[in-house]
Amino acid sequence: MPRSENPLRSELFPDIVPYASGMLQVDSRHTLYWEQSGNPEGVPVVFLHGGPGAGSAPVHRRFFDPAFYRIVIFDQRGSGRSLPLGDVTDNTTPHLVDDLERLRRHLGIRQWLLFGGSWGSTLALAYASRHAERCIGFILRGIFLGRDNEVQWFLHGMRNIFPEAWREFAEHLPPGERHDLLAGYYRRLTDPDPVRHRAAARAWSRYEATCSTLYPSARGALEADGGGFALALARIEAHYFVNRVFLADGWPWRDINRFRHLPCTIVQGRYDAVCPPVTADELVRAWPEARYVVVPDAGHSALEPGIRAALVNATENYRLSRYSSDLFLPRFPWQE
């Protein structure tokens, strides 16, 4: 059953700036942006952004107490400030898991807390499936497991809740292509002609943004760079959806015993139309040790007031649980 919250803090922490940042070359093609903020000697936490392809933002540092956490934020392949932007070559879930492990080693971190929402929850669980010994816990939001029914819900099911947004999304394609929205969009998003791929990216990202909050609001910021961030989001998402997010059938159920002993908080908006609660419910039934918080008046976005408060509360709960335990720090040498 979902657990009720006993709020510790409901507001984001103040703005901070990174104390270190850089670009990590992970292969001959891709270079990842990374940054660290907060306490260099604190408990490491890595922020895994959504999408895939959405990228990170300065506001994401503010979910964490900077006096306690060593906050690691990075942009996944093709996303945000990573280069080349919007590139889907050698861009798969196993590549992203390997990148995350390479970043951990690069920063000299022995173990870390994984904080991820939507696609970020997928990546956190995929990483834990292979590197459970490097994880100290999880804070997950808006659970997405990348299964066919979840992708079909995104492409078609959200029509039941947001018919106007879906109609605009579908009608970007000519009538003869609307029987397969994913294939039609993928052709346009990977078309080299900027006229075709940028228009498709705007339509895709506007659809997703409109459906991501309890009160619909298209997010124009994705187009602020002339469409580059919108293109990265839409193209990379479509690439992953076409390829069944590069995860095998039966995942993550066969792997969950590798990490279910670790502390986990799952935050879910009751009216999340992008990643409906049924998926989080399935995960919690397989992982009953997890702390499950359903926010009654929220959709999908991490920045909706109720979701935001629950996530900050989760990071504070983790902080207090570490302070109250005699296992704090002496048992966890964070730096190698």
Side-chain angles (χ1 to χ4, degrees):
M1 292 290 292
R3 305 181 188 181
S4 59
E5 283 286 66
N6 180 21
L8 301 170
R9 180 188 177 98
S10 60
E11 294 302 318
L12 296 173
F13 288 90
D15 283 317
I16 54 174
V17 296
Y19 64 78
S21 63
M23 301 293 290
L24 176 64
Q25 187 162 358
V26 291
D27 62 18
S28 61
R29 189 177 188 92
H30 290 278
T31 304
L32 308 186
Y33 170 83
W34 62 267
E35 65 177 49
Q36 296 189 90
S37 55
N39 180 357
E41 302 301 322
V43 175
V45 57
V46 60
F47 181 93
L48 305 177
H49 66 70
S56 61
V59 69
H60 296 148
R61 307 167 192 149
R62 299 179 60 195
F63 287 107
F64 313 99
D65 182 345
F68 179 79
Y69 287 104
R70 177 182 176 182
I71 305 160
V72 179
I73 290 177
F74 77 106
D75 292 327
Q76 297 156 32
R77 291 188 180 212
S79 307
R81 290 152 288 187
S82 292
L83 299 172
L85 182 64
D87 194 340
V88 297
T89 303
D90 295 329
N91 196 332
T92 71
T93 304
H95 282 109
L96 300 189
V97 169
D98 288 344
D99 290 347
L100 186 52
E101 182 62 1
R102 187 176 286 107
L103 178 63
R104 182 194 65 78
R105 294 195 303 266
H106 177 73
L107 298 179
I109 293 171
R110 186 165 188 171
Q111 295 172 303
W112 49 9
L113 177 69
L114 278 69
F115 181 110
S118 193
W119 165 256
S121 72
T122 322
L123 183 55
L125 295 174
Y127 177 85
S129 295
R130 286 180 51 190
H131 302 287
E133 74 284 358
R134 297 304 181 184
C135 306
I136 59 173
F138 310 88
I139 297 173
L140 309 176
R141 170 195 60 84
I143 302 300
F144 177 70
L145 300 179
R147 297 170 298 178
D148 289 345
N149 64 314
E150 296 173 77
V151 172
Q152 289 305 310
W153 171 265
F154 177 87
L155 294 167
H156 300 282
M158 290 198 299
R159 176 185 189 180
N160 294 293
I161 303 171
F162 295 99
E164 303 89 351
W166 183 87
R167 186 178 306 114
E168 183 180 355
F169 173 64
E171 290 180 354
H172 177 76
L173 301 179
E177 296 186 41
R178 293 175 194 166
H179 66 285
D180 191 341
L181 296 178
L182 183 55
Y185 265 96
Y186 193 53
R187 279 193 296 272
R188 283 163 175 73
L189 291 167
T190 55
D191 191 299
D193 182 355
V195 174
R196 286 172 64 81
H197 65 232
R198 288 195 182 276
R202 284 192 294 270
W204 180 292
S205 61
R206 188 162 47 242
Y207 170 61
E208 182 169 348
T210 300
C211 299
S212 289
T213 54
L214 188 61
Y215 296 101
S217 173
R219 188 173 50 190
L222 284 170
E223 300 177 25
D225 69 330
F229 293 138
L231 177 62
L233 171 68
R235 178 185 285 167
I236 295 173
E237 279 190 345
H239 168 68
Y240 274 71
F241 290 174
V242 163
N243 290 284
R244 304 183 73 185
V245 304
F246 303 97
L247 289 168
D249 291 340
W251 180 90
W253 316 118
R254 64 169 177 261
D255 300 324
I256 201 166
N257 285 337
R258 299 179 186 177
F259 49 81
R260 64 182 292 179
H261 62 286
L262 296 170
C264 176
T265 297
I266 296 171
V267 175
Q268 180 69 43
R270 172 62 70 192
Y271 300 105
D272 186 336
V274 178
C275 297
V278 63
T279 304
D281 182 75
E282 289 181 67
L283 181 61
V284 170
R285 288 174 67 84
W287 195 351
E289 301 87 352
R291 178 172 174 262
Y292 184 35
V293 179
V294 175
V295 181
D297 57 349
H300 183 66
S301 172
L303 296 178
E304 290 198 84
I307 300 286
R308 181 181 67 213
L311 290 172
V312 172
N313 185 249
T315 66
E316 286 291 271
N317 264 315
Y318 187 86
R319 177 181 64 83
L320 291 178
S321 73
R322 297 299 90 188
Y323 272 135
S324 65
S325 171
D326 60 4
L327 300 181
F328 175 65
L329 284 184
R331 286 286 300 275
F332 295 111
W334 309 116
Q335 285 76 37
E336 291 183 328

